[in-house]
Amino acid sequence: MLERLLPQPEDKIIQLMALLRDDPRPAKIDLGVGVYKDASGHTPVMRAVREAGRRLWDSETTKTYVALAGDPGFHAAMGRLVLGDAVPPARLAAAAAPGGTGALRIGFDLIHKTAPGATIWMSDPTWPNHPALASDLGLKTRDYRYFDSATGDVDFDGMLSDIGSIPDGDVLLLHGCCHNPTGANLTPAQWDKLADVLAARKLTVLIDIAYQGFGDGLEEDAYGTRLLAKRLPELLVAASCSKNFGVYRDRVGVLLAVIPEGTEHATVQANLAMLNRLNYSFPPDHGARLVQTVLNDTDLMAGWQAELEDVRLSMLGLRKQLADELRRLTNSDRFDFVARHRGMFSRLGLSPDQVARLRTDHAIYMVGDSRINIAGLNANSVPILARAIAAVI
Ligand code: LMR
């Protein structure tokens, strides 16, 4: 049987991690996978998460199963973090999942179960795992215009026009904030306009929000998600805690389902639990419990928010430094968008050949579409990157 398996195309981001690991050059710069690194290149355990871990170690007396959909306390805490008071708890069903990908998987499963013929419309470009997950379930995907590579900003008119031609009953996948891979995001005014358009349509909307707090702030980054939760009769949201709590390997995510008025909450909740059961039975609890502990404790929450804000501001500082340096070295405003972008990523608009030369000649690693992880830089490596970019363009 196993001999019938076909070779699998490797995910480009994961492939890049392996290339980097095998590169013996000591001065290599890793701008690949979306993992936050501090100025010394370390991915720290956040202080509030460490303290929550200490408390859990002291207080946890059992490792028995919790519940198929995870701990309701985690659902409530994540519901508040992501959705604020946009919807009453009675309209919120939820399932804890292994990371944002686990939450997306459950979301796509739900779509497959309820609308197997629907097409999922994704931004062009999007995170490569989005189409991969959908096609693994046999779901059709199509693109809508999103990124204007000439300006480095969102092609909002193109996006609205493409959304206008999506047939009723299809699914629209949106990035809640900090668009991956481009770094170009909707303004609040554009979210308002999009909400008006979507409120008049019959599309299912799924929002992937994996970087809340990395863009303009925790509240600001949730603006579009909360707005659509208020304006649309139903909404699916896949949220990840990997980045904003730094709990990557613990795999913490949640699928939130805002259910329409009049729909039986228990039925939706039971379906989410069953999808977890079919995929992995009980979701991992440890990381979710750390997150829940932080979110439910005033002091830990304040400490976490302050540390997250430091992370956000450090990335903004690096963005400005890189944009300034590139403006100086290229004598042009071509890369000014780097300072306008938000989140971990920016797509620089370099050719695959230029990206390859940065890797071979300068030991600088970025994804082939020229996506860089800003957090892979520090004040010393920004000028090195800028010089290398100026040399290859
Ligand atoms: C990324 O886009 O680099 C991250 O979301 C990590 C991943 O799993 O791809």
Side-chain angles (χ1 to χ4, degrees):
M1 176 194 80
L2 297 179
E3 76 279 2
R4 289 203 296 273
L5 291 173
L6 300 173
Q8 290 296 313
E10 236 192 310
D11 182 292
K12 291 189 175 57
I13 298 169
I14 308 300
Q15 197 174 30
L16 193 70
M17 288 170 84
L19 278 179
L20 174 92
R21 197 183 46 230
D22 296 342
D23 185 338
R25 290 174 287 182
K28 57 194 176 184
I29 298 177
D30 174 14
L31 308 179
V33 68
V35 169
Y36 172 75
K37 286 184 252 163
D38 62 20
S40 63
H42 181 59
T43 302
V45 178
M46 295 179 85
R47 289 185 295 273
V49 171
R50 185 180 288 282
E51 175 55 23
R54 270 200 210 100
R55 292 187 193 176
L56 193 55
W57 179 255
D58 288 338
S59 62
E60 193 172 55
T61 56
T62 179
K63 287 283 189 188
T64 189
Y65 295 125
V66 179
L68 280 179
D71 191 315
F74 174 65
H75 302 163
M78 287 303 293
R80 280 195 305 277
L81 179 70
V82 178
L83 296 174
D85 57 8
V87 288
R91 282 190 56 216
L92 198 59
T101 298
L104 284 166
R105 178 77 195 200
I106 294 298
F108 286 165
D109 275 344
L110 208 55
I111 293 162
H112 186 249
K113 209 174 161 64
T114 53
T119 295
I120 306 189
W121 293 76
M122 304 186 175
S123 63
D124 177 21
T126 194
W127 184 48
N129 219 18
H130 285 152
L133 282 164
S135 80
D136 188 53
L137 285 166
L139 289 163
K140 295 187 293 274
T141 63
R142 288 196 54 191
D143 293 340
Y144 58 84
R145 272 175 285 172
Y146 183 81
F147 187 58
D148 181 345
S149 50
T151 60
D153 295 316
V154 175
D155 173 9
F156 190 58
D157 290 341
M159 178 182 184
L160 283 190
S161 150
D162 286 357
I163 289 174
S165 64
I166 299 179
D168 280 354
D170 275 357
V171 179
L172 177 67
L173 176 63
L174 298 167
H175 295 232
C177 63
C178 306
H179 186 266
N180 180 6
T182 66
N185 299 291
L186 299 186
T187 61
Q190 288 172 331
W191 277 111
D192 291 345
K193 177 91 183 102
L194 180 63
D196 287 342
V197 168
L198 294 176
R201 299 292 317 278
K202 288 190 167 47
L203 305 178
T204 296
V205 177
L206 166 59
I207 299 183
D208 181 359
I209 182 159
Y211 298 87
Q212 189 183 352
F214 272 34
D216 289 310
L218 274 173
E219 302 296 311
E220 293 82 349
D221 291 351
Y223 179 82
T225 306
R226 292 176 184 178
L227 179 68
L228 294 191
K230 273 192 217 131
R231 296 283 311 274
L232 303 182
E234 69 173 19
L235 181 71
L236 296 174
V237 182
S240 169
C241 300
S242 296
K243 334 279 165 164
N244 52 9
F245 285 87
V247 288
Y248 305 87
R249 63 173 67 166
D250 286 336
R251 311 309 296 135
V252 189
V254 69
L255 181 77
L256 302 169
V258 179
I259 62 180
E261 306 276 2
T263 296
E264 193 69 54
H265 182 277
T267 306
V268 180
Q269 188 58 46
N271 274 273
L272 294 180
M274 184 49 67
L275 290 174
N276 264 3
R277 178 70 167 159
L278 295 174
N279 277 298
Y280 34 74
S281 206
F282 295 86
D285 178 73
H286 182 77
R289 200 156 292 280
L290 297 178
V291 165
Q292 183 184 336
T293 304
V294 171
L295 291 177
N296 286 338
D297 181 282
T298 313
D299 291 343
L300 292 183
M301 174 78 165
W304 170 68
Q305 282 181 297
E307 194 170 353
L308 182 60
E309 190 61 4
D310 287 347
V311 163
R312 188 181 79 79
L313 293 176
S314 76
M315 289 190 292
L316 276 187
L318 290 166
R319 286 189 173 283
K320 175 154 188 343
Q321 190 192 353
L322 181 59
D324 288 350
E325 199 69 15
L326 284 168
R327 180 177 262 261
R328 196 174 63 76
L329 288 174
T330 64
N331 204 18
S332 80
D333 59 6
R334 170 175 169 182
F335 293 102
D336 280 9
F337 58 77
V338 171
R340 292 198 298 274
H341 285 171
R342 287 293 180 272
M344 290 192 105
F345 306 117
S346 271
R347 180 185 265 199
L348 295 180
L350 306 178
S351 69
D353 176 57
Q354 289 164 339
V355 171
R357 274 162 53 213
L358 285 170
R359 193 169 64 242
T360 50
D361 301 353
H362 301 272
I364 294 173
Y365 284 74
M366 62 183 67
V367 184
D369 64 357
S370 72
R371 183 194 85 168
I372 59 168
N373 171 12
I374 291 289
L377 293 165
N378 60 34
N380 298 327
S381 59
V382 165
I384 299 172
L385 171 66
R387 278 197 299 275
I389 291 173
V392 300
I393 61 176

